Amino acid sequence: MSDPLSLPFTEARRQLSAREYVGASLRAIGEHNAKLNAFIHVAGEGAGGPLSVPIAIKDNIVTRDMPTTCGSQILAKFVSPFEATAVSRLRAAGWSIVGKTNLDEFAMGSSTEHSAFGPVRNPWNTARVAGGSSGGSAAAVAARMVPAALGSETGGSVRQPAAFCGVVGLKPTYGRVSRSGLVAFASGLDQIGIITKTVRECAELLGVIGGHDPLDSTSSAQAVDDYGADVDRGVRGLRFGVVSEAVEKLEGEVRTNFDAALEILRRGGAVVEPASVPTIGHAIAIYYIVANAEASANLARFDGVRYGHRSARGKTLRDLYFDSRGEGFGAEVKRRIMLGTFALSSGYYEAYYGRAQAVRARLRADFDAAFQRFDFLLTPTTPEVAFPIGAKTDDPLSMYLSDIFTAPANLVGIPALAVPSGFSREGLPLSLQIMAPHFAERALFRAAAFFEKETNYWRRAPKL
Ligand code: GLN
C-alpha cells in the first residue's frame, strides 16, 4: 500500500489497524517535525485507547494528557484539569490525539511567527510561513504527519493557514462547535475549526465534534446535520455570488487562479454572478477593534495567581501581576491587550468599540441581503500566497491585512471553507474561499466537494 497518510482517513482506516495508523503518524511526525516545527508536544507510543484515526490538536484546545501552552511562555507548563468538549467527542468516537500543534501566541497572528516556541515552516517551501494562527495544524496535515487536525478561528486562523499549506480548512457557523476548552481569545468570534486533505473528511469530522453542549451556552441547539450527504451532488443550478468589493483589486496569479475557479463552477452548471457586500472593506478595522477589546478582557485572567507563569521577582502583589504578565506575554499579545484596553476605555468606548459593533451590524445585514440572491459567496481565501518568514514581523498592519477575506465570516458568524485551487508558478498553494449562510455547512461541503473532484489538487503532496 502507498503511504497511508497520503490517503483520506476514510480509506486508510479500512486498510490499517488502529495501532498501525497511529504508529505511521507518530513516525511521520518524528521524521518531519525538526524541519517544520509543527508540533509542540507529541504523544507517547500507545497513547489513547482502542484507537482508529490519529489527529492533531491546536495547542490552545485543552487536553488532559498533554500540556496546553497556547504558544505562550505564560502557560509553558500548564496542564488542564479537564478536556475540551471537541476533544472528548473525538476520543469517544475512537480518535487518537497524537500531538498538540504550534500556533501564534494565544492565536494572535497570521504566520505562526508569534509563537514562544519558534515559527512553523511551510512544507511547500520551508523559507515561507505556514500561515496562522493554526500554522502547526495546517503544516501537519499538508506534510502528511496526520490525516486531520483541529485548529481555532477568530478571524481566519484555520482558513488562512489551510490556504498557505494547500489543505482544506473549515470555520463552522458560530455556535456549531462547542467552545468549552478552547482558550478564549475573543469569545464572540472564536470557533473551533477543522483541517483535512479532503472535503469529505472535513464533513465527517464536523459530525463528530459539532452539536449542542451544555458547557457552552453559546453552542447551538440546532441538530447536527448529515454533513457528507450531498458531496456527490454537484453544483448544477446552485447560485454563487462573487463579492465585487473584495475582488475588484485582485491581481496577478491570485486573480487568474480565482477566475479559473469561477469557470470550473460555471462548467458544472452553477450560476456565477457578481454580488455586493458594500461594507466588506471595513471588516479588518472592525475585527481589530472587537477582537482586541474582547482579548484584553479574556487575557486578564493570566495574572500569575490563578494560571501559569508566576514571577518571583517583585515584592508586592502589584509587582506579581506586572512581572508575571510582563515576563510571560510576548510582544504581539501585549500590543493586542493595549489596543483592546484603549478601545474599551472610558471616553473612547463609543468612538471605537461602539462604532465597530454598529458597522458590524451593517456588515451582517449586507451579508443577509446577498444571501437572499445567492446560496454561496466567493472570494480567494487570501490576497497572496505564503510570504517569506520574517517579511511582515516588523509591520503589524500588513500582517493584519492577511485576514482581509477571512475576517468577515467571523464577524457575521457564518460558515466558510477554504479549498485548494491550484499552485503559483513558484509552487505555492492557492485557495478558494466559499462562504454560506448560518448553519448551511452541508451545502458548503457539497459545493467544495464538487470543486475538489474537478481539480484534485489535494492529491499533490509537498516533497520533504
Ligand atoms: N490573524 C488574526 C489575528 O491575528 C486571526 C487570528 C485567529 O483567527 N485566531 O487576530
Side-chain angles (χ1 to χ4, degrees):
M1 191 183 73
S2 59
D3 171 22
L5 289 154
S6 286
L7 298 172
F9 64 72
T10 39
E11 287 168 43
R13 72 180 159 204
R14 280 192 238 115
Q15 308 180 14
L16 290 169
S17 75
R19 181 181 295 273
E20 289 166 336
Y21 204 174
V22 172
S25 170
L26 289 172
R27 267 196 306 284
I29 296 170
E31 204 172 314
H32 303 308
N33 199 47
K35 197 166 182 183
L36 300 177
N37 200 27
F39 285 83
I40 298 177
H41 321 286
V42 182
E45 193 82 41
L51 316 165
S52 54
V53 188
I55 189 165
I57 307 290
K58 186 178 183 179
D59 208 23
N60 62 347
I61 300 174
V62 299
T63 44
R64 248 194 325 226
D65 57 348
M66 279 178 266
T68 300
T69 66
C70 293
S72 182
Q73 276 315 339
I74 210 163
L75 287 177
K77 298 192 185 80
F78 175 69
V79 182
S80 168
F82 73 103
E83 212 145 59
T85 298
V87 172
S88 0
R89 287 187 180 169
L90 284 169
R91 291 202 204 273
W95 290 70
S96 173
I97 315 301
V98 293
K100 303 289 294 289
T101 53
N102 202 352
L103 69 159
D104 285 297
E105 185 174 4
F106 286 99
M108 296 172 178
S110 307
S111 68
T112 319
E113 292 167 292
H114 304 312
S115 165
F117 303 97
V120 175
R121 294 180 177 272
N122 191 309
W124 294 94
N125 177 340
T126 53
R128 303 274 172 150
V129 301
S133 62
S134 313
S137 289
V141 174
R144 275 68 174 154
M145 298 156 103
V146 281
L150 296 189
S152 72
E153 272 259 2
T154 304
S157 274
V158 162
R159 287 163 288 157
Q160 188 258 19
F164 280 8
C165 293
V167 290
V168 172
L170 170 75
K171 181 201 88 76
T173 306
Y174 183 78
R176 176 66 307 176
V177 178
S178 170
R179 289 184 296 111
S180 177
L182 168 63
V183 177
F185 167 0
S187 311
L189 304 169
D190 296 343
Q191 192 60 196
I192 289 177
I194 301 167
I195 297 176
T196 52
K197 289 193 296 295
T198 67
V199 173
R200 193 186 288 268
E201 294 168 283
C202 190
E204 178 175 330
L205 266 166
L206 184 62
V208 175
I209 66 169
H212 182 252
D213 176 14
L215 297 175
D216 171 9
S217 60
T218 64
S219 72
S220 168
Q222 183 143 331
V224 170
D225 212 335
D226 182 357
Y227 292 111
D230 295 336
V231 292
D232 293 324
R233 288 185 61 196
V235 292
R236 186 158 303 282
L238 299 182
R239 302 183 57 85
F240 292 80
V242 179
V243 183
S244 308
E245 296 84 356
V247 304
E248 64 194 5
K249 293 201 187 76
L250 286 183
E251 350 174 291
E253 290 184 279
V254 176
R255 155 115 274 154
T256 356
N257 180 266
F258 183 69
D259 290 343
L262 302 184
E263 212 32 59
I264 288 167
L265 294 169
R266 281 198 191 96
R267 279 207 307 272
V271 179
V272 181
E273 286 172 2
S276 178
V277 181
T279 46
I280 201 165
H282 299 300
I284 287 296
I286 308 169
Y287 172 81
Y288 278 94
I289 290 171
V290 173
N292 291 344
E294 293 195 25
S296 69
N298 273 324
L299 269 57
R301 73 191 66 175
F302 302 101
D303 57 7
V305 178
R306 285 169 292 181
Y307 303 93
H309 173 72
R310 173 179 301 183
S311 175
R313 254 191 326 145
K315 294 194 171 57
T316 66
L317 179 62
R318 197 181 146 90
D319 292 339
L320 176 72
Y321 291 155
F322 273 67
D323 296 344
S324 301
R325 290 167 70 82
E327 293 163 15
F329 287 138
E332 181 62 24
V333 172
K334 288 176 183 166
R335 178 174 9 247
R336 306 286 180 114
I337 293 173
M338 288 190 276
L339 286 168
T341 306
F342 179 76
L344 291 176
S345 57
S346 107
Y348 295 99
Y349 181 93
E350 262 318 308
Y352 292 100
Y353 193 71
R355 283 274 288 287
Q357 291 291 20
V359 185
R360 182 182 177 186
R362 288 265 295 274
L363 180 68
R364 181 168 171 148
D366 284 353
F367 267 93
D368 286 348
F371 283 129
Q372 295 291 313
R373 290 185 49 218
F374 295 102
D375 303 306
F376 306 98
L377 292 172
L378 300 171
T379 68
T381 307
T382 57
E384 56 183 4
V385 294
F387 45 86
I389 290 182
K392 295 186 199 284
T393 35
D394 295 332
D395 185 358
L397 211 55
S398 102
M399 186 78 88
Y400 296 173
L401 285 169
S402 252
D403 306 311
I404 193 160
F405 298 140
T406 48
N410 303 74
L411 291 167
V412 173
I414 53 172
L417 186 144
V419 61
S421 63
F423 293 87
S424 71
R425 275 185 303 273
E426 294 175 300
L428 292 163
L430 291 152
S431 174
L432 174 69
Q433 172 173 243
I434 315 177
M435 298 176 275
H438 293 89
F439 296 102
E441 278 89 350
R442 178 167 164 173
L444 201 51
F445 291 130
R446 173 181 175 179
F450 169 80
F451 186 78
E452 177 183 81
K453 184 164 68 66
E454 293 300 304
T455 55
N456 265 315
Y457 291 119
W458 73 270
R459 291 185 190 278
R460 233 190 272 180
K463 287 180 193 58
L464 284 162

